[in-house]
Amino acid sequence: MRLLGLGLAAAVLVPAPVSAAAPDRRDGFVYFLMTDRFADGDPSNNDQKAGEFGPADPNLYSGGDLAGVRSKLDYIQGLGATAVWLTPPVSNVWYDPSLKMAGYHGYWATDFTKVDAHLGGLEDYRGLAADLHARSMLLIQDIVTNHTGDFFSYAGAPDPADPGKGFRLKPGMVPPRPTQHPFSANDPRDPEARRLSAYHWTPDVADFNDEAQLTTGQVSGLDDIDTSNPLVRRTLKESYGGWIKAVGVDGLRVDTARYVEHEFWRDFIHSADPASPGVGAVARAQGQEGFLVFGEVWTNAVPFDDKEDALTASYLGTAERPEMGAVLNFPLAGDLRAVFGKGAPPALLKYRLESMKRHYAGGRASVNFIDNHDMPRFLSEGGEAGLVQALAALFTLPGLPVLYAGTEQGFTETRASMFAQGFGSGGKDHFDRSHRLYVFIKRLAGLRAGQPALARGSLVPLHGAAWGPGPLAYRVDPSTVPGGSGPGSPILVVFNTAEEEMLAPGLETGLPEGTRFEPLLGLGVDGRGLRVGRRGALLLRLAPRSTLVLKALPAAPPSAEDEAGEELLEAGVMINTVRGGNVRPPAPQARKRRKSKAPPPLATDKAARVFIEGSSAGVDSVSVVVDGRLGRPVPARWLPDERWVAELDASLLPDGEHTVTAMGAAGSTVVWSPPRGLKIDLPYALAARVDDPLGDDHGPEGRYRYPLAPGFEGRADIRSLSLYRRGSGAKLVITMAQGLSGVWNPAFGFDHVCFHVFMDFPEAVLGRKGLEALPGLGARMKDGRDWDFAAFLAGWKVGLYGAGAATVSAFGPALAPAPQVRADRKQGSVEVEFSLDAFPGVRSFDGAGFYVATWDYDGVEGRLRPLAREPAEFVFGGGEPAGPKVMDDAAVPPEKKP
């Protein structure tokens, strides 16, 4: 059995071809692929007879290789990509019997200097680099410096004074230990291994706020390398510098960079020591002046907080002490997904863009993406309309865009294969150049390449709706900074993330009055004929899910056509006051018109009625538009002296900032007031509570057992469900008997458990019966009940789905806005707040029932954890594989009417 591919030692004697000159990397984009799941160009290397090959199993090798990547370069380049980023091609763990998994992904290294035999040999890799360079494309290699595979564990907690105490090598590993020196010396009971000290020999990270744990502890059980050790540093520099010399690699993406100390990166990249040069120096010696190293600093950003941006950007270093050239922008990715995929307020993304300007060199040091191989696909949580908008944002923001393979084919499975024989492919190839997403991305790539300001300009965030889905706008100006876009025209980018027509009243563009536009991209709206008005304001009606990319043209005086029709006419209708509370409308009396240009938000009290009073002149009728929602105007009634008043039910609005705009109609002309702020703050009240028996978390028949890995036992046991109501809305609080775990640092604050929340509305509300089968759980609703909507809640994924598009095995497309989820680990509870806007045909939660079932979800593989007769480390036991995936359940019955 051949365990290793051809090493670099032989290759150094034959210099790699020099990289071909390529355009500025920011003008194009990076196509990221997982080699094993992309294309199989050489089936002879698929099965190395270690039990590691099995395309039907998501945890084993599928057969993709370097030859397969070479065979699909026309497809990749045809999309507009200018660089290819590969998962680590180095020798990996072939089989881990305790996990029943293989290192098909490349991140469990056994030798950092050799090509894994499943992917081919060194000549295949050199050939791929040469093919890319012949096309003026770049090759980016994914690398790992933080860890090797998981070859050892401890019986109990390790003793820092004696790392050999309780140490044990995992049996049955293929190969049994790393094969590269000094990482092969991984047993601290061996005096030579202790002398070399290539590892930290520590437990898993338990506290992700403890910097010492982060840089010395194991992440997910992977053996943590001591990167402060000079021997280790020298070995890693030689290993990865070797790929630059032998293959012609043009850049490196660094995995788990967050878990390695800052000083390492200064040495690894920038060392000028001729005896042990950094990879940047090695690249320059090969004639590569623009060599890029960018790192994965995975953080879970808090909305409207830039702490995680500052942390991520700290890995760029400083001018005096430089580290990486760029970093993957996880805070931005999270907010792109939330706003375009889950219906979060665009104000969230506007804030994140402002933060990107502050922390990532104006955005130029930001590597931008939507999803990747370690998180749920965008389309598993959001719809295609949202994905199209997220892609448009990705290609119109400064920085380096990255597209994960399969996005252009509409993939929903995180690590599904592009080729027919691989896992999750559905038995067919997915290289369709006529796919609408492929065609659209190709168009975006051309747009970016033709407008240098989009890649290298200066970003100016302008507007983001604060309450929920709605308008988002930013401007990208030509930049004269070194490496900037140079002279050119500003570009205005506008989105409507809502599923309804929206008004953007008085959008302050920052452009001169009279500015016109050349539409570069228009989805759902034309954009021609737009002209900037007074004080740089622009009035826009935006169709549902519309997108505009506009190139500014020189200002010009208005034409007769410009002056006809709708315009922002502040003298025609004005909002004077906004009042909250159970009070009568204001008594008729003369009022002076306010002249303030930007009235501050006015808060309601705890009552549900809000009165909006205004004045008008020369209009026949007045309506109030809340949050720009043109399809839901609130008619006003007239008061004396050309005054009017409109009444809102605040309980229909979520808490937080809102805007109200008055619309006056005079014949065929419509005039608008400036928007006015409104803040809603109404309490929830407990409507129902159900206590669930403790210790009943063992499946439908009481025989299920938890996975054997630490941290699972008891985590699926429900203590209680509490339902809170606020007007027509609802909030569900799930409290767990054993509290919540967060040891894996999940985005939504909890791990080792997931929740399915099934909601059943009275048939009279929807006019139809729901489903009884619970998708993917192998179970049915109890007591003959059915469900109409379902929320899925896991540490890395939250989604809302309707029964109409669901099947026995899977949910259909996600609905938006997604529930707001907040985990409170001190209380051991998960709070789920629902927005009625996400429930088609539903006007209230009156009479709704909630059924909650617990299990666990593998966020990497994007699937529920399996069930088997016997438990394994990450496998539930005590049942048949097709049995119900329900560990515990509880229900809040419909409310009883008096």
Side-chain angles (χ1 to χ4, degrees):
M1 180 172 61
R2 186 165 63 95
L3 290 178
L4 302 172
L6 180 62
L8 287 180
V12 175
L13 301 175
V14 184
V18 176
S19 300
D24 190 299
R25 62 173 63 89
R26 294 168 296 175
D27 295 335
F29 76 91
V30 177
Y31 188 80
F32 167 47
L33 61 89
M34 179 169 281
T35 309
D36 177 69
R37 300 292 163 89
F38 187 68
D40 185 2
D42 182 7
S44 69
N45 59 29
N46 290 350
D47 191 350
Q48 300 293 326
K49 308 303 180 185
E52 85 293 357
F53 177 68
D57 190 330
N59 297 317
L60 302 180
Y61 282 92
S62 275
D65 51 30
L66 296 169
V69 179
R70 294 180 71 180
S71 72
K72 299 299 180 184
L73 292 185
D74 284 346
Y75 169 87
I76 297 172
Q77 189 173 38
L79 189 59
T82 52
V84 173
W85 156 17
L86 302 173
T87 46
V90 301
S91 292
N92 255 249
V93 170
W94 283 6
Y95 193 67
D96 181 333
S98 66
L99 299 177
K100 296 181 171 59
M101 293 180 67
Y104 66 89
H105 40 69
Y107 298 96
W108 296 351
T110 60
D111 191 324
F112 297 115
T113 68
K114 297 182 179 181
V115 175
D116 192 278
H118 293 90
L119 307 183
L122 184 61
E123 290 309 311
D124 295 297
Y125 199 20
R126 288 171 55 88
L128 173 60
D131 291 348
L132 286 167
H133 295 158
R135 297 167 181 262
S136 294
M137 297 176 71
L138 304 176
L139 172 61
I140 298 173
Q141 178 174 320
D142 208 329
I143 68 169
V144 183
T145 64
N146 176 69
H147 58 263
T148 62
D150 180 12
F151 292 93
F152 59 76
S153 62
Y154 280 88
D159 182 351
D162 182 9
K165 185 179 179 180
F167 177 90
R168 57 190 178 191
L169 290 170
K170 293 175 64 174
M173 295 288 291
V174 182
R177 64 179 65 199
T179 55
Q180 181 187 5
H181 182 79
F183 309 114
S184 53
N186 66 347
D187 188 341
R189 297 168 298 185
D190 179 355
E192 178 63 10
R194 291 283 293 275
R195 185 186 69 80
L196 292 173
S197 193
Y199 294 90
H200 281 121
W201 292 304
T202 47
D204 277 15
V205 175
D207 182 356
F208 283 83
N209 295 312
D210 184 333
E211 195 67 25
Q213 285 192 45
L214 289 179
T215 56
T216 63
Q218 297 192 63
V219 179
S220 300
L222 297 169
D223 302 347
D224 195 77
I225 295 172
D226 184 356
T227 45
S228 67
N229 182 328
L231 172 62
V232 167
R233 288 189 178 186
R234 185 168 65 251
T235 303
L236 291 172
K237 285 186 285 184
E238 291 174 353
S239 297
Y240 292 121
W243 294 112
I244 299 169
K245 292 185 286 187
V247 174
V249 169
D250 301 290
L252 301 175
R253 178 267 187 185
V254 184
D255 183 69
T256 52
R258 172 74 179 95
Y259 305 105
V260 178
E261 68 275 10
H262 285 275
E263 182 55 41
F264 173 84
W265 300 119
R266 292 189 276 270
D267 181 45
F268 177 77
I269 301 170
H270 301 287
S271 173
D273 182 355
S276 183
V279 293
V282 173
R284 286 192 297 274
Q286 301 297 306
Q288 297 189 46
E289 291 299 327
F291 193 80
L292 177 66
V293 179
F294 63 94
E296 178 200 39
V297 184
W298 191 316
T299 58
N300 299 320
V302 175
F304 303 104
D305 190 320
D306 69 347
K307 184 178 76 170
E308 302 303 328
D309 284 305
L311 171 64
T312 301
S314 70
Y315 287 81
L316 299 171
T318 63
E320 297 76 23
R321 296 172 66 79
E323 295 182 39
M324 298 185 186
V327 283
L328 285 156
N329 196 331
F330 278 87
L332 176 64
D335 287 350
L336 286 170
R337 293 165 66 94
V339 169
F340 292 117
K342 301 179 184 179
L348 178 66
L349 188 50
K350 176 178 179 285
Y351 177 90
R352 194 62 60 199
L353 298 182
E354 293 167 343
S355 183
M356 184 170 79
K357 280 191 64 177
R358 290 193 299 271
H359 295 292
Y360 303 85
R364 293 182 297 277
S366 176
V367 179
N368 306 328
F369 64 101
I370 296 169
D371 55 19
N372 64 26
H373 59 315
D374 285 333
M375 60 174 59
R377 292 270 189 180
F378 185 101
L379 285 179
S380 74
E381 299 180 300
E384 187 171 302
L387 175 60
V388 164
Q389 291 190 309
L391 288 167
L394 186 69
F395 280 82
T396 56
L397 288 171
L400 178 63
V402 174
L403 185 81
Y404 179 34
T407 301
E408 76 281 10
Q409 298 294 328
F411 275 24
T412 58
E413 177 82 42
T414 300
R415 295 186 178 182
S417 299
M418 296 280 285
F419 64 106
Q421 296 76 28
F423 168 77
S425 68
K428 63 179 183 179
D429 286 336
H430 298 274
F431 300 99
D432 180 7
R433 299 195 204 188
S434 65
H435 193 289
R436 58 185 175 274
L437 288 173
Y438 184 100
V439 173
F440 180 62
I441 293 166
K442 181 177 181 178
R443 180 182 178 189
L444 290 175
L447 172 64
R448 186 178 182 86
Q451 302 293 331
L454 292 177
R456 290 176 272 155
S458 177
L459 178 64
V460 184
L462 297 173
H463 174 76
W467 72 274
L472 168 73
Y474 52 86
R475 196 180 73 239
V476 185
D477 293 339
S479 174
T480 57
V481 302
S485 60
S489 299
I491 294 175
L492 180 67
V493 183
V494 183
F495 300 93
N496 175 17
T497 68
E499 304 288 348
E500 59 186 301
E501 185 182 22
M502 299 292 289
L503 174 73
L507 174 64
E508 296 180 0
T509 66
L511 298 171
E513 181 178 354
T515 297
R516 298 176 184 274
F517 298 96
E518 174 192 347
L520 301 177
L521 178 69
L523 304 177
V525 62
D526 191 306
R528 287 177 292 186
L530 290 175
R531 178 180 175 275
V532 174
R534 286 176 289 173
R535 297 194 301 276
L538 193 63
L539 175 69
L540 292 172
R541 276 181 179 264
L542 298 171
R545 285 291 187 178
S546 55
T547 301
L548 270 175
V549 181
L550 305 169
K551 184 175 183 179
L553 301 176
S559 64
E561 183 180 353
D562 293 327
E563 294 177 342
E566 294 186 354
E567 60 180 84
L568 187 67
L569 187 62
E570 297 175 14
V573 59
M574 291 288 291
I575 295 175
N576 296 331
T577 61
V578 179
R579 294 189 179 190
N582 291 320
V583 297
R584 294 181 179 180
Q589 58 180 340
R591 292 180 179 274
K592 294 183 179 180
R593 185 165 299 162
R594 292 175 180 262
K595 297 183 179 180
S596 173
K597 295 180 181 178
L602 300 175
T604 71
D605 63 15
K606 299 300 181 181
R609 291 196 296 167
V610 177
F611 297 98
I612 300 165
E613 178 202 353
S615 55
S616 62
V619 298
D620 302 321
S621 63
V622 175
S623 297
V624 170
V625 175
V626 182
D627 293 323
R629 306 179 83 168
L630 287 167
R632 311 184 190 196
V634 179
R637 62 185 180 85
W638 288 106
L639 300 172
D641 301 325
E642 294 190 314
R643 292 179 300 109
W644 50 264
V645 64
E647 181 177 346
L648 303 179
D649 181 354
S651 70
L652 298 176
L653 301 175
D655 286 346
E657 302 290 339
H658 298 265
T659 61
V660 288
T661 306
M663 174 177 65
S668 61
T669 300
V670 178
V671 293
W672 304 92
S673 76
R676 184 70 178 266
L678 169 67
K679 184 177 181 180
I680 301 295
D681 182 14
L682 294 174
Y684 277 92
L686 179 65
R689 175 187 166 100
V690 172
D691 292 321
D692 189 61
L694 302 183
D696 64 339
D697 51 328
H698 295 288
E701 298 179 3
R703 295 198 297 263
Y704 285 3
R705 287 176 286 167
Y706 282 95
L708 302 179
F712 279 100
E713 191 65 34
R715 290 300 182 188
D717 191 8
I718 299 172
R719 176 181 294 275
S720 66
L721 302 181
S722 300
L723 178 64
Y724 294 83
R725 296 295 308 277
R726 172 189 176 278
S728 56
K731 177 171 68 175
L732 183 68
V733 177
I734 307 168
T735 303
M736 305 303 292
Q738 300 295 326
L740 296 174
S741 166
V743 297
W744 292 334
N745 199 29
F748 291 101
F750 62 93
D751 52 38
H752 287 81
V753 66
C754 70
F755 306 92
H756 286 82
V757 181
F758 296 94
M759 288 157 277
D760 178 23
F761 289 84
E763 285 188 37
V765 172
L766 297 171
R768 56 171 170 77
K769 185 175 174 59
L771 289 181
E772 293 184 23
L774 306 182
L777 295 185
R780 304 179 73 82
M781 291 285 284
K782 293 183 174 181
D783 303 324
R785 300 286 297 274
D786 56 43
W787 64 275
D788 302 293
F789 297 93
F792 176 72
L793 319 173
W796 288 270
K797 179 178 179 179
V798 169
L800 181 72
Y801 308 90
T807 66
V808 173
S809 59
F811 291 116
L815 302 173
Q820 294 186 43
V821 176
R822 290 175 284 271
D824 185 336
R825 291 211 286 271
K826 289 184 179 179
Q827 298 296 324
S829 63
V830 175
E831 178 182 295
V832 192
E833 188 171 357
F834 299 98
S835 169
L836 272 179
D837 288 327
F839 294 78
V842 177
R843 299 181 62 85
S844 171
F845 281 94
D846 290 349
F850 295 78
Y851 169 70
V852 179
T854 61
W855 196 252
D856 191 43
Y857 179 77
D858 185 334
V860 174
E861 295 295 338
R863 60 187 58 248
L864 296 174
R865 296 203 185 278
L867 172 66
R869 293 183 180 180
E870 294 297 326
E873 285 211 35
F874 294 99
V875 177
F876 287 87
E880 298 297 328
K885 291 183 172 64
V886 176
M887 208 65 174
D888 194 8
D889 60 4
V892 177
E895 300 166 60
K896 295 180 180 180
K897 297 296 182 183

